[in-house]
Each structure stands twice: as C-alpha cells, then as structure tokens.
Amino acid sequence: MSGPLVVAWALTAVFAALVLPCVLRLVRLDYGRHGAAVRNGDLAELLLVVGMVAMLSPVGGPIPAAGWQAVLALTAGWFAVSWWKGRRSGHASCGHHAVSATAMLFMVTFMPHSEVSHGPWLVMSGPGGVSALWLSLVFGAVAAYFAVDAVRAGVLAARGTAGEGQVSRRVCRVIMGAGMGYMLIGAAL
C-alpha cells in the first residue's frame, strides 16, 4: 500500500466512525429543549460526515459528483439563508455549516484526486493556469479557518462544561475541521 492510500483509508475510517455520534444525537429527539437550529446542525453534520467518507474512500461511492454538488449547494444555500435570517440572534453554527458545505462543494468541483482513484463517480480535475493560483489561495484561507475552528472547538470540548450532547458535537467539529483542513491544504499545494 502506498502512503496516500493508507491515509485515505485511515481518514475514511475516522469519518465513518463519526456517523455514529451524529445518528445517536438525532435519535435522541431532544430538540424540543435544544431547538430546531441544533437539529438542523446535527443533520448537516451527518450529511457532511457522509460526504467526507465518500470523498476520501479509496473505493468511491454510489453517488456521482453531480449529485454531491447538488446536495452540497442546497445545504450551503440553506445554512447561508438561515445564518442571514438569524445573524442577530446568534446562529453562528449556521454560518459554519454554510462555509463547510461550500468548501466541500468546491472540493468536489475543483480538487483533483491524482493519488487515489475514486472511479467514475467522483473524478475531479483542477483548473489550470492563473485560476489554479486563485483557487489555491482560497483553499489555503479556508483551511486556516477550519484549523482555527478545530482548535477553538477542541478547547471548548476539553473544558467539558457544555450540556448534554455538546461535547459530542464539539469533538465531531474538531475532527471534521481537522479533516477539512487537511484536504484543503492538500488541494492548495
């Protein structure tokens, strides 16, 4: 096995393991207390985790790139509008999920996967020329955002002062942020 293939399998396993806490939070059905925004965030987290598994898996997946592009564009739009509507009432997680979905949409659309073959369902080719530099700068900036967010969420999770389910959400956010940052840095270089 080559190095990138080992990394792809390891990251696939890590993100696949994140599906369980996302589903467990959704099954608990305690959103009467937490509110619809938390439920929507948990649903988005599950969708983004599954998307990461599909993008990283060396065997690929059943959904073509165009399907992921449609789902991620709708998710990004939904959370951007939700953030815009609730920006004065502290819906910061909606903004984060909009950024996450947009970053994944850009990865599905522009990020080449030369080291690991994802089959015909998710073959992406990067743009050439001057736009490649622009895209590398955008990917680098967004990777920095995810790195800072992962550290912040990690500090909050380590404090453990949050209510029920919040530590799980923050740990998932740390792992997702680190994984997104890793993929974006790889795309930027």
Side-chain angles (χ1 to χ4, degrees), residues 20-154:
L20 181 62
C22 291
V23 170
L24 289 176
R25 287 192 308 264
L26 288 167
V27 171
R28 229 179 283 135
L29 298 176
D30 59 351
Y31 296 111
R33 184 170 29 124
H34 293 297
V38 173
R39 180 199 61 228
N40 292 343
D42 286 347
L43 286 169
E45 199 73 32
L46 178 61
L47 171 71
L48 296 175
V49 164
V50 170
M52 291 294 281
V53 169
M55 284 196 292
L56 289 164
S57 172
V59 296
I63 301 173
W68 279 110
Q69 289 168 330
V71 168
L72 292 168
L74 288 171
T75 302
W78 173 272
F79 281 101
V81 169
S82 295
W83 171 81
W84 183 257
K85 286 181 174 181
R87 67 190 182 281
R88 296 181 200 271
S89 60
H91 285 65
S93 67
C94 288
H96 173 75
H97 289 317
V99 170
S100 298
T102 302
M104 287 181 70
L105 176 62
F106 269 75
M107 285 191 285
V108 167
T109 304
F110 295 112
M111 192 167 85
H113 285 98
S114 57
E115 297 88 14
V116 178
S117 174
H118 285 269
W121 75 277
L122 193 57
V123 175
M124 294 147 312
S125 59
V130 176
S131 61
L133 175 62
W134 173 83
L135 196 58
S136 291
L137 293 174
V138 169
F139 279 179
V142 177
Y145 164 79
F146 282 114
V148 168
D149 185 70
V151 168
R152 182 182 154 278

Side-chain angles (χ1 to χ4, degrees), residues 7-17 52-58:
V7 171
W9 275 114
L11 289 174
T12 299
V14 167
F15 285 110
M52 291 294 281
V53 169
M55 284 196 292
L56 289 164
S57 172

Side-chain angles (χ1 to χ4, degrees), residues 155-162 167:
V155 167
L156 291 172
R159 287 184 186 160
T161 58
V167 172

